[in-house]
Amino acid sequence: MTGRLAGTVIFAAVLSFAFGLPLISGADPVSQSLMKSLQPPSADGWLGYDHLGRSMSARMAAALRLSLSIALVTLVTTALIGVALGALASWRGGWIDRALVLFADSVVALPALLIVLIAGLILPNQPLAFWAGLSATLWVEIFRLTRATIRSQIASPAVEAAQLLGFGPLYIFRTHLWPELAPVLRATLALTFAAVVMGIAALGFVSVGVRAPTPELGLMMVELLPYWREAPWALLQPVIATLATLLALTLIAGGAKA
Amino acid sequence: MTVLHAETLTVTSGQGTMVAPISLAIEPGQCVTLIGETGSGKSLFAQAILGTLSKDLSASGGLRIAGQDVALDDPQALAGLWGKVISVLPQEPWRALDPLMRARQQVAEVHALVTGQANPEAAAQADLAALDLDEAADRYPFELSGGMAQRLAIAAARAGGARIVVADEPTKGLDIARRDEVARRLKSVTRDGGALLTITHDLDLAEALGGEILVLRNGRLVERGPAAQVLRCPSESYTAELVAAQPRNWPDKPAAQAGAPVLTARGLSVARGGRRLIDGMDLSLRAGEVVGLCGPSGVGKSSLGDTLLGITAPAAGTVLRGAGLARERFQKLWQDPPAAFAPKLSLGRALKDLMSLHRIPADRLPPLLEKLRLEPALLDRRPDAVSGGELQRLSIVRALLLDPVLLFADEPTSRLDPLTQQQVMRLLTDLARTKGIAVLLVSHDPGLIAKATDRQIALSLETAPDEVASATGIGTGRRARS
């Protein structure tokens, strides 16, 4: 329980930094000032300035906003697709079930990052590509979990009773299936969120993700890597932010099981 | 010499006394049976003697086993006696076997580890031969029949040479044939000069074992005496109630006046998991009659009922509901009442949802609750906070709200106490008579089937289903093989 509490606190801190900073500071994440290049943290620039003299605090907040927003939208999409298909497969059974399982298995067989890269080539902008590509791969986990959990529930006398009493599928899902499914899904959703944040950073780090000058955690790590000797504090910032976000989500996921 | 002597043995918890002082003595070759409903404290008493009480309970009083005083507050003192002096026959013994160990090894292990025999394999073989298991010595538990697995468990439990055997609900979940076998095996303990302490709510088993009977209720001793006397002419009203609650002692129900057929099946075949269980069966259920559905486990009783209700599709043939009867008027009662309700929904909420779904006026519920003697306050609770009997009555209320014409009752009372079982069954037969509901009743208890049903449909594994007209002669005695 303490692990989950700690995770929630860290995540809340990351969120309030990302979304609260623009409210108190008007710094532009892309405006350059070479005079300030690699200036260490000070009173007017709390987190210092990068090699092009851009405000690190504004860039960090913008990068986190980007990652967290894409992750949130992706999470909602994957959850909807996964739960809907999982419920459909376990409810109808038969060939629908077999076809969906086969489809899910084929999606897993493709490398997730490859699908994201393909989406990046097809779709007009990068956040949209992340959303589409990651949603297309990450729903499988939720689909499998939903299918397995609901399967055992559907055969239970309680669901049989509800069907005999004339209740429709929506009522049965809401009162019988969802209360069993929600606690099981919580951990997976937290880990899926983490996977999205991680995926965006990884693509940025190998320079196939978001294009400069848009601030993004992985991209910032690459940009600041050549200056690690002069400004290790600058390189450490996106690393720590990524680490803190992933740690918080993992703690939340782990706590749900205990 | 007294083998087991308990003096004013008391079990207490933080809240108070769980089992009031009870004394008993068992001589070699004697047996004592504790009977009572769930929660009567009979299992706690046995756990105190075995030293397996949970940590928040404590036992006091005196205990002498084989002439030696045993400290009740020291679990280690009793643990040293397990296997050698006192042994336990577990509930559902076939579950106590190691699934990955051959039969001989299960017994030889006890000889080797508990008694330190020089040749455990030979001793085990002798034990198995004594129980007619010698040809099964090299088989795994899953290769044994239920009865053989049970004998094997008994052999393993007794291999340590313990003279005191404690059997906790040894017939739980058994059908009649197996129950008699267990009774015979248990009696062999006393024949060999052992002492037997049995805990059960099965009065037939208690009678078969004989010896002394102690009747417990709410942790207090109600009555004690020789088995024949206690069960034949009980002196306490509670014991008399328990005896009267045995299905074969039930009063006869009023004769059936069967009405129009509510459900007819023609050429019905039922399959489950690819195996055809029932082939080409014709049957018809009429309003107001109670029909028993019997047969051994796995013969397809529940599958047949589910097919008739339309939960599963028939493999062949047709099921016709009476003209103008909606699907919701064919309802089912489940064996395990808590499993038939949404666990996280209050009972009142569940009933309210049902009533708004079918536009049932709210004033229909209170009279039904009253008729089934249910407190309205129960509706605020969740299914796990209500007793099994109350919950089964609530599921009857739930079905009655839909004006059922057929109730398929799948062992509706097998998890209930005898007194509650009698109440629920009487209620069901009354409803059949007064409301003209057809009841299809599955049960393993021939006594219950005989008393509660008008006619029976017997399913057997080899032959086609036979429809048997009972003494009241409502059935038409059709043969049902195509």
Side-chain angles (χ1 to χ4, degrees):
Chain A
M1 209 59 224
T2 48
R4 195 157 154 200
L5 186 68
T8 313
V9 169
I10 298 174
F11 195 63
V14 172
L15 273 180
S16 49
F17 169 73
F19 291 93
L21 192 79
L23 302 178
I24 53 169
S25 144
D28 183 348
V30 290
S31 78
Q32 303 181 3
S33 164
L34 290 178
M35 300 289 293
K36 292 179 180 169
S37 172
L38 292 180
Q39 233 176 56
S42 64
D44 55 18
W46 301 332
L47 297 179
Y49 294 87
D50 72 358
H51 55 293
L52 297 174
R54 296 174 294 198
S55 162
M56 276 300 285
S57 56
R59 286 182 69 74
M60 284 297 297
L64 279 169
R65 276 201 301 280
L66 179 80
S67 287
L68 295 176
S69 308
I70 296 178
L72 183 71
V73 177
T74 310
L75 188 70
V76 171
T77 320
T78 50
L80 283 178
I81 298 176
V83 171
L85 291 185
L88 181 73
S90 51
W91 198 301
R92 304 305 299 229
W95 67 268
I96 294 185
D97 185 31
R98 282 197 294 277
L100 283 171
V101 169
L102 186 70
F103 178 53
D105 288 347
S106 352
V107 170
V108 173
L110 294 170
L113 291 185
L114 183 69
I115 296 183
V116 179
L117 288 179
I118 295 171
L121 293 175
I122 299 168
L123 292 167
N125 67 49
Q126 212 55 40
L128 200 63
F130 281 135
W131 167 75
L134 291 169
S135 297
T137 51
L138 290 172
W139 63 273
V140 176
E141 183 85 0
I142 296 168
F143 162 78
R144 286 180 169 167
L145 203 62
T146 306
R147 178 173 166 273
T149 311
I150 289 189
R151 234 165 122 88
S152 58
Q153 285 298 311
I154 278 184
S156 73
V159 172
E160 205 174 77
Q163 281 170 332
L164 263 186
L165 292 167
F167 287 110
L170 272 182
Y171 179 87
I172 292 175
F173 184 81
R174 198 156 44 84
T175 53
H176 292 272
L177 306 181
W178 182 248
E180 302 297 320
L181 186 61
V184 184
L185 275 187
R186 194 176 302 140
T188 311
L189 289 179
L191 292 177
T192 305
F193 197 104
V196 178
V197 173
M198 187 73 190
I200 297 171
L203 287 169
F205 193 79
V206 294
S207 304
V208 289
V210 175
R211 307 273 183 275
T214 312
E216 192 280 320
L217 293 170
L219 189 62
M220 285 168 73
M221 289 179 209
V222 180
E223 287 173 350
L224 292 165
L225 204 52
Y227 308 98
W228 68 273
R229 203 181 287 276
E230 298 93 315
W233 47 266
L235 174 62
L236 275 177
Q237 284 173 31
V239 174
I240 289 171
T242 312
L243 188 73
T245 312
L246 297 184
L247 175 70
L249 290 163
T250 311
L251 284 174
I252 292 172
K257 263 181 294 175
Chain B
M1 185 190 73
T2 309
V3 186
L4 178 88
H5 190 111
E7 191 130 18
T8 60
L9 193 64
T10 314
V11 180
T12 47
S13 76
Q15 280 95 45
T17 309
M18 306 293 286
V19 180
I22 294 174
S23 302
L24 64 83
I26 314 181
E27 307 290 332
Q30 272 197 344
C31 78
V32 171
T33 308
L34 301 177
I35 59 178
E37 297 177 52
T38 312
S40 61
K42 56 189 193 306
S43 289
L44 289 181
F45 184 78
Q47 285 170 5
I49 287 176
L50 291 171
T52 54
L53 280 175
S54 67
K55 287 210 188 323
D56 47 337
L57 299 173
S58 62
S60 56
L63 182 62
R64 281 175 77 79
I65 288 176
Q68 294 199 326
D69 278 314
V70 178
L72 280 165
D73 48 3
D74 176 15
Q76 288 309 310
L78 278 159
L81 301 172
W82 291 346
K84 292 177 202 151
V85 183
I86 189 162
S87 75
V88 180
L89 193 64
Q91 286 187 11
E92 310 192 38
W94 48 95
R95 291 199 187 158
L97 297 172
D98 183 335
L100 297 177
M101 205 186 265
R102 293 178 199 276
R104 186 190 298 114
Q105 188 56 32
Q106 310 248 13
V107 181
E109 184 181 59
V110 182
H111 281 297
L113 299 175
V114 178
T115 52
Q117 284 264 352
N119 191 347
E121 296 279 329
Q125 192 65 43
D127 284 347
L128 293 176
L131 290 169
D132 294 328
L133 283 171
D134 31 5
E135 79 280 17
D138 287 318
R139 293 198 216 155
Y140 288 101
F142 63 84
E143 295 174 305
L144 301 175
S145 74
M148 290 165 99
Q150 197 167 13
R151 275 182 275 159
L152 176 59
I154 293 175
R158 303 220 53 214
R163 294 184 63 201
I164 305 170
V165 175
V166 178
D168 189 0
E169 298 277 11
T171 56
K172 195 175 192 178
L174 294 186
D175 53 29
I176 302 291
R178 285 260 204 97
R179 193 175 72 186
D180 293 344
E181 156 122 21
V182 170
R184 270 204 305 284
R185 297 288 162 202
L186 287 176
K187 276 174 105 167
S188 74
V189 172
T190 51
R191 249 199 328 276
D192 304 344
L196 177 66
L197 178 66
T198 311
I199 296 107
T200 186
H201 67 254
D202 183 343
L203 298 190
D204 289 332
L205 175 71
E207 185 161 10
L209 291 174
E212 190 185 14
I213 283 185
L214 279 72
V215 182
L216 270 67
R217 185 189 195 187
N218 297 334
R220 307 197 164 272
L221 186 62
V222 175
E223 185 172 1
R224 72 190 298 172
Q229 183 199 320
V230 170
L231 296 175
R232 296 285 168 201
C233 27
S235 56
E236 293 293 323
S237 62
Y238 176 71
T239 318
E241 265 179 68
L242 272 186
V243 173
Q246 289 292 97
R248 62 185 152 79
N249 298 331
W250 290 359
D252 286 320
K253 62 188 177 318
Q257 271 141 14
V262 294
L263 186 107
T264 315
R266 280 201 216 310
L268 186 66
S269 296
V270 176
R272 191 182 54 205
R275 203 162 61 88
R276 189 160 278 213
L277 297 166
I278 293 168
D279 215 5
M281 183 187 201
D282 291 328
L283 109 173
S284 115
L285 299 170
R286 293 163 175 279
E289 66 173 351
V290 183
V291 179
L293 189 55
C294 13
S297 309
V299 76
K301 300 185 293 291
S302 301
S303 303
L304 173 63
D306 287 350
T307 309
L308 293 176
L309 290 176
I311 296 174
T312 49
T318 51
V319 177
L320 282 175
R321 290 192 276 271
L325 298 175
R327 196 185 162 201
E328 283 81 41
R329 300 183 67 186
F330 295 77
Q331 287 296 325
K332 177 171 173 178
L333 299 178
W334 278 263
Q335 178 176 22
D336 189 16
F341 286 86
K344 295 189 172 102
L345 204 61
S346 81
L347 294 162
R349 180 78 240 163
L351 289 180
K352 210 168 275 169
D353 287 348
L354 178 67
M355 291 168 75
S356 62
L357 177 74
H358 293 287
R359 296 200 183 78
I360 299 167
D363 55 1
R364 279 199 49 203
L365 184 59
L368 276 178
L369 290 177
E370 202 185 317
K371 187 176 161 68
L372 296 177
R373 285 175 292 109
L374 288 164
E375 293 291 324
L378 285 180
L379 297 185
D380 299 333
R381 304 198 203 155
R382 288 187 182 185
D384 56 0
V386 178
S387 79
E390 286 167 328
L391 209 51
Q392 195 61 288
R393 276 181 281 158
L394 262 169
S395 52
I396 296 178
V397 166
R398 185 168 72 169
L400 286 180
L401 281 170
L402 296 171
D403 284 323
V405 292
L406 172 69
L407 275 179
F408 171 50
D410 193 354
E411 305 210 42
T413 57
S414 65
R415 306 251 167 115
L416 306 180
D417 289 315
L419 290 176
T420 322
Q421 159 167 294
Q422 192 184 10
Q423 286 169 4
V424 170
M425 282 316 305
R426 190 183 295 155
L427 209 69
L428 274 179
T429 42
D430 282 354
L431 285 169
R433 297 294 183 259
T434 55
K435 302 215 165 207
I437 300 171
V439 177
L440 183 62
L441 177 71
V442 175
S443 175
H444 273 121
D445 185 341
L448 188 148
I449 289 280
K451 281 289 175 181
T453 64
D454 305 313
R455 62 181 172 104
Q456 293 90 44
I457 297 168
L459 301 178
S460 62
L461 288 169
E462 303 85 26
T463 56
D466 277 338
E467 194 162 313
V468 184
S470 79
T472 47
I474 299 298
T476 46
R478 261 176 290 117
R479 283 216 110 56
R481 186 146 192 112
S482 59

